């Protein structure tokens, strides 16, 4: 079997620039974390790691799925041969040790695919791949793991707080708060997804639980387990994602493409600016019955969206016809225009001044 790491510029024991930046991250001050993380990938795409390189905190499990478990970990500094636990930890995602047979083979290929996707999408609003276990014929498949940046908090936790702040009367979200969330949360998500789409990578599972924030507050998308690369003109078929945010063509088991991510983004945008749960009646949070579906044509209520331009953006992004949804370049451009408009007239609700048809921009 050819190593997944073959052909990569790995300088694990020399004094290469990539390793130097990596060591600065491991030993450096917390304020240099963001800069160092970006520098890791400039010269060295990824680092081959063994379990001896890691101090894994097995008692502090971060999460668990059907095939993988996630733990916090620190990486040994090759300069001092120690673990600097004064820095925030990374996140280790590894295959469950009890997997075997076909299930193990499937999980192994899925995690390798996730790592391959992450290698090709390095962006400030996407969680970076730090390293991956060595893959050799004499290493059991169930020892496969990847190491990624660990985030400080997640969007779903913030949304819970925002919902409580809204109160039992469910007031409208203040306009200044909407503007702040557009700037600090929504734009970063749109730019991260836009970069993925520019590389023909579809995310397929956008939801609050897959969006988080670094210790310095940067919003980042994480968990690329369902991400897939699409060649030009191709479509996928088969259900994938979370029903509450799922595009109608996916829920109906019809062919879909990158535009399905745009639909999910629109539902999440509505949730972020209204502090409400989309389709709360249709899909109760604590419902353990049969899987639910969103009624055909149903969308979150725009009466909770005061800004008309945001309302129009939502309508075009969650359009029933996928070909009418905008691409993320145009979504980002429009979001920036809306923010600028809100800055110039923070107390007024302006009508749209675009003077363009909603179908002008199409998905790439």
């Amino acid at each position: 079997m050819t190593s997944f790491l073959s052909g990569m510029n790995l300088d694990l024991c020399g004094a290469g620039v990539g390793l130097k930046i990596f060591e600065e991250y491991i030993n450096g001050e917390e304020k240099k974390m963001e800069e160092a993380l970006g520098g890791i990938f400039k010269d060295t795409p990824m680092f081959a790691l063994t379990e001896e390189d890691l101090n894994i905190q097995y008692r502090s499990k971060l999460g668990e799925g059907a095939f993988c478990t996630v733990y916090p970990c620190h990486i040994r500094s090759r300069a001092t041969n120690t673990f600097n636990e004064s820095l925030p930890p990374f996140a280790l995602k590894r295959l469950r040790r009890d997997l075997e047979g076909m299930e193990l083979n499937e999980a192994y290929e899925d995690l390798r695919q996730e790592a391959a996707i992450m290698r090709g999408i390095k962006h400030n609003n996407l969680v970076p791949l730090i390293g991956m276990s060595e893959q050799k014929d004499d290493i059991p498949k169930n020892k496969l793991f990847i190491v990624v940046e660990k985030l400080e908090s997640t969007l779903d936790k913030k949304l819970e707080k925002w919902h409580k702040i809204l109160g039992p009367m469910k007031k409208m979200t203040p306009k200044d708060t909407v503007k702040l969330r557009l700037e600090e949360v929504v734009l970063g998500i749109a730019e991260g997804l836009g970069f993925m789409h520019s590389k023909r990578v579809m995310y397929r599972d956008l939801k609050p639980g897959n969006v988080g924030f670094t210790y310095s507050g940067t919003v980042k998308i994480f968990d690329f387990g369902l991400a897939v690369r699409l060649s030009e003109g191709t479509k996928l078929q088969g259900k994938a994602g979370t029903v509450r945010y799922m595009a109608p063509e996916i829920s109906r088991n019809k062919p879909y493409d990158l535009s399905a991510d745009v639909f999910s983004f629109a539902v999440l945008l509505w949730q972020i600016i209204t502090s409400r749960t989309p389709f709360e009646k249709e899909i109760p949070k604590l419902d353990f019955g049969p899987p639910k579906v969103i009624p055909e044509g149903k969308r979150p209520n725009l009466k909770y969206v005061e800004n008309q331009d945001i309302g129009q953006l939502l309508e075009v992004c969650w359009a029933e016809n996928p070909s009418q949804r905008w691409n993320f370049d145009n979504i980002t451009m429009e979001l920036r225009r809306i923010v600028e408009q809100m800055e110039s007239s923070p107390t007024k609700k302006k009508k749209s001044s675009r003077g363009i048809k909603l179908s002008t921009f199409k998905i790439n």
Side-chain angles (χ1 to χ4, degrees):
M1 178 179 66
T2 302
S3 170
F4 180 69
L5 301 175
S6 62
M8 299 179 65
N9 179 24
L10 296 175
D11 185 359
L12 298 177
C13 55
V17 176
L19 179 60
K20 181 176 183 296
I21 295 173
F22 180 71
E23 294 294 339
E24 287 176 357
Y25 172 67
I26 297 300
N27 298 299
E29 301 173 8
E30 183 174 342
K31 65 181 181 180
K32 296 180 180 178
M33 284 183 63
E34 297 286 343
E35 180 181 356
L37 270 173
I40 286 176
F41 303 103
K42 184 175 181 180
D43 298 283
T44 305
M46 190 172 70
F47 289 86
L49 298 168
T50 66
E51 291 195 25
E52 287 69 32
D53 293 317
L54 307 174
N55 180 15
I56 306 170
Q57 300 168 27
Y58 286 110
R59 295 184 179 181
S60 303
K61 184 166 62 176
L62 299 174
E64 186 170 24
F67 295 145
C68 294
T69 309
V70 183
Y71 302 95
C73 72
H74 286 87
I75 302 178
R76 184 190 304 276
S77 166
R78 290 178 174 83
T80 64
N81 200 35
T82 60
F83 299 102
N84 188 347
E85 297 188 3
S86 64
L87 286 176
F90 294 98
L92 170 88
K93 183 175 184 179
R94 71 178 315 150
L95 294 182
R96 284 175 31 202
R97 293 297 178 87
D98 60 340
L99 296 177
E100 56 185 17
M102 293 293 293
E103 195 174 46
L104 173 59
N105 291 334
E106 180 183 350
Y108 179 80
E109 293 303 326
D110 285 350
L111 190 55
R112 289 179 74 244
Q113 172 68 16
E114 182 175 354
I117 290 288
M118 293 184 73
R119 280 182 56 200
I121 49 171
K122 306 174 186 71
H123 186 273
N124 190 50
N125 298 114
L126 304 174
V127 160
L129 179 68
I130 304 300
M132 185 176 184
S133 58
E134 294 181 309
Q135 295 175 68
K136 299 178 181 178
D137 291 333
D138 59 345
I139 298 179
K141 286 185 176 181
N142 63 4
K143 289 195 173 185
L144 179 67
F145 65 80
I146 62 174
V147 177
V148 302
E149 179 185 15
K150 179 183 177 297
L151 301 177
E152 190 272 335
S153 61
T154 56
L155 180 57
D156 56 349
K157 299 300 182 184
K158 287 187 180 292
L159 283 167
E160 288 179 8
K161 294 180 181 178
W162 296 345
H163 187 75
K164 290 178 181 178
I165 292 173
L166 201 63
M169 299 302 292
K170 293 191 175 181
K171 302 175 182 178
M172 302 291 283
T173 305
K175 295 177 184 178
D176 288 346
T177 302
V178 171
K179 173 180 169 293
L180 189 64
R181 292 179 188 175
L182 289 178
E183 290 178 306
E184 298 189 356
V185 183
V186 176
L187 270 167
I189 297 172
E191 290 176 354
L193 288 169
F195 184 80
M196 291 180 67
H197 283 196
S198 73
K199 302 297 183 181
R200 301 296 304 174
V201 175
M202 184 178 178
Y203 185 65
R204 297 205 298 175
D205 196 21
L206 186 65
K207 59 183 178 181
N210 286 345
V211 176
F213 301 87
T214 66
Y215 292 86
S216 61
T218 301
V219 63
K220 296 196 178 189
I221 299 168
F222 65 95
D223 193 347
F224 300 90
L226 290 181
V228 62
R229 194 177 300 276
L230 288 177
S231 56
E232 191 73 35
T234 60
K235 291 192 175 185
L236 299 172
Q237 192 163 358
K239 289 191 176 182
T242 303
V243 174
R244 196 183 302 277
Y245 306 90
M246 190 180 292
E249 59 269 26
I250 297 181
S251 63
R252 296 172 196 156
N253 203 26
K254 294 182 178 180
Y256 61 89
D257 57 16
L258 297 175
S259 62
D261 278 346
V262 176
F263 183 96
S264 301
F265 170 81
V267 177
L268 184 60
L269 167 58
W270 180 91
Q271 184 174 8
I272 290 170
I273 64 173
T274 65
S275 304
R276 289 169 166 80
T277 302
F279 308 116
E280 192 168 22
K281 293 182 179 179
E282 291 79 8
I283 309 176
K285 284 186 176 181
L286 299 179
D287 184 11
F288 298 101
K292 299 294 189 295
V293 295
I294 305 299
E296 186 171 348
K298 182 76 173 181
R299 299 292 185 272
N301 200 326
L302 287 177
K303 74 177 183 179
Y304 301 116
V305 181
E306 288 189 285
N307 187 290
Q308 293 183 16
D309 286 344
I310 296 177
Q312 289 190 350
L313 178 62
L314 287 169
E315 288 184 308
V316 74
C317 288
W318 63 37
E320 187 73 17
N321 186 344
S323 67
Q324 293 180 348
R325 299 171 196 159
W326 286 5
N327 62 38
F328 279 106
D329 286 343
N330 294 311
I331 291 171
T332 301
M333 181 171 61
E334 177 65 358
L335 285 170
R336 292 191 183 282
R337 189 196 67 79
I338 291 172
V339 169
E340 290 177 2
Q341 187 182 72
M342 295 175 79
E343 287 176 345
S344 63
S345 55
T347 60
K348 294 182 180 180
K349 181 172 70 174
K350 284 198 172 185
K351 294 184 178 180
S352 174
S353 59
R354 283 196 306 270
I356 58 175
K357 294 181 179 180
L358 293 181
S359 59
T360 299
F361 298 130
K362 305 293 179 64
I363 196 77
N364 286 333

